[in-house]
């Protein structure tokens, strides 16, 4: 009888201990799932903030880039008269100046959702975009038809921002030049 009582006590203790372990495992699992949800949410915030900043930049500069692009397109057309070219050129210079001024005071959006490193890289890339518009302005004022330096600066933006997109798991490539058109 003593043996039966001891055996019952051991089984009861083991079951109680197993329930505690199950409870602890369950709590650990819930905590782990919450951490994964927060991590996924954080990654989602990063993605959303990166996309938002890229789109905002493109939207902000689209009209200025369009004026420059109109002039460049008119240069390639043989039937464009000199007066129209001069007007388009002046519009392009004004647009480049506006873009430069806009970029001087441009601020990233949703910075609270970006890491400091990501925000810093993005701001550096925006500096390259400003450099592109400065190159456009300089080339336009010098009557140069070679806009390679400006186009290279826009490409540099993509080179700097693409790794940020890749790290966040975004499949698209941030090609600002094509999105400005």
């Amino acid at each position: 009888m003593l043996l039966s009582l001891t055996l019952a006590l051991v089984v009861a203790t083991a079951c109680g201990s197993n329930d505690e372990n199950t409870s602890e495992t369950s709590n650990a699992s819930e905590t782990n799932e919450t951490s994964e949800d927060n991590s996924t949410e954080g990654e989602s915030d990063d993605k959303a903030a990166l996309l938002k900043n890229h789109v905002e930049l493109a939207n902000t500069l689209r009209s200025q880039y369009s004026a420059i692009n109109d002039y460049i397109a008119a240069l390639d057309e043989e039937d464009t008269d000199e007066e129209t070219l001069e007007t388009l050129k002046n519009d392009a210079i004004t647009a480049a100046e506006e873009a430069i001024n806009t970029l001087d005071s441009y601020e990233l959006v949703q910075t609270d959702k970006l890491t400091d490193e990501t925000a810093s890289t993005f701001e550096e890339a925006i500096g390259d975009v400003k450099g592109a518009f400065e190159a456009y302005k300089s080339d336009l004022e010098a009557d140069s038809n070679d806009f390679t330096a400006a186009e290279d600066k826009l490409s540099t933006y993509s080179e700097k921002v693409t790794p940020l997109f890749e790290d966040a798991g975004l499949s698209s490539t941030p090609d600002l030049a094509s999105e400005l058109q």
Side-chain angles (χ1 to χ4, degrees):
M1 193 175 225
L2 186 59
L3 184 63
S4 295
L5 200 53
T6 306
L7 185 60
L9 186 60
V10 168
V11 170
T13 305
C15 287
S17 175
N18 193 18
D19 286 345
E20 287 176 14
N21 287 342
T22 302
S23 176
E24 288 174 10
T25 303
S26 177
N27 286 342
S29 177
E30 288 173 13
T31 302
N32 206 10
E33 286 175 14
T34 303
S35 295
E36 286 176 12
D37 288 345
N38 288 342
S39 174
T40 302
E41 186 177 306
E43 288 174 13
S44 178
D45 286 349
D46 287 347
K47 287 179 186 180
L50 283 169
L51 286 173
K52 179 81 172 163
N53 277 292
H54 178 68
V55 169
E56 284 292 318
L57 182 63
N59 289 340
T60 300
L61 300 173
R62 189 167 286 119
S63 65
Q64 289 90 0
Y65 187 78
S66 178
I68 294 167
N69 211 24
D70 289 347
Y71 173 71
I72 294 170
L75 288 173
D76 293 335
E77 296 176 14
E78 293 178 17
D79 61 340
T80 306
D81 62 82
E82 289 299 317
E83 186 177 325
T84 302
L85 270 178
E86 193 61 31
T87 300
L88 289 172
K89 177 182 162 187
N90 289 334
D91 291 347
I93 291 170
T94 301
E97 290 170 348
E98 288 173 4
I100 293 166
N101 290 334
T102 297
L103 291 168
D104 277 338
S105 61
Y106 188 81
E107 293 185 22
L108 296 174
V109 295
Q110 298 180 344
T111 54
D112 59 324
K113 296 179 181 173
L114 298 172
T115 66
D116 290 342
E117 183 179 332
T118 299
S120 176
T121 301
F122 225 111
E123 288 171 350
E124 187 178 313
I126 290 170
D128 290 323
V129 175
K130 179 183 173 192
F133 281 96
E134 290 170 340
Y136 277 125
K137 181 180 180 237
S138 175
D139 291 341
L140 290 164
E141 290 174 337
D143 289 325
S144 173
N145 294 341
D146 180 16
F147 302 102
T148 306
E151 292 164 359
D152 288 346
K153 287 284 192 180
L154 286 177
S155 294
T156 302
Y157 166 88
S158 293
E159 290 170 9
K160 289 181 180 176
V161 176
T162 295
L164 300 177
F165 273 49
E166 289 171 352
D167 289 347
L170 293 166
S171 60
S172 62
T173 303
D175 184 5
L176 187 63
S178 67
E179 293 178 38
L180 288 172
Q181 296 181 10

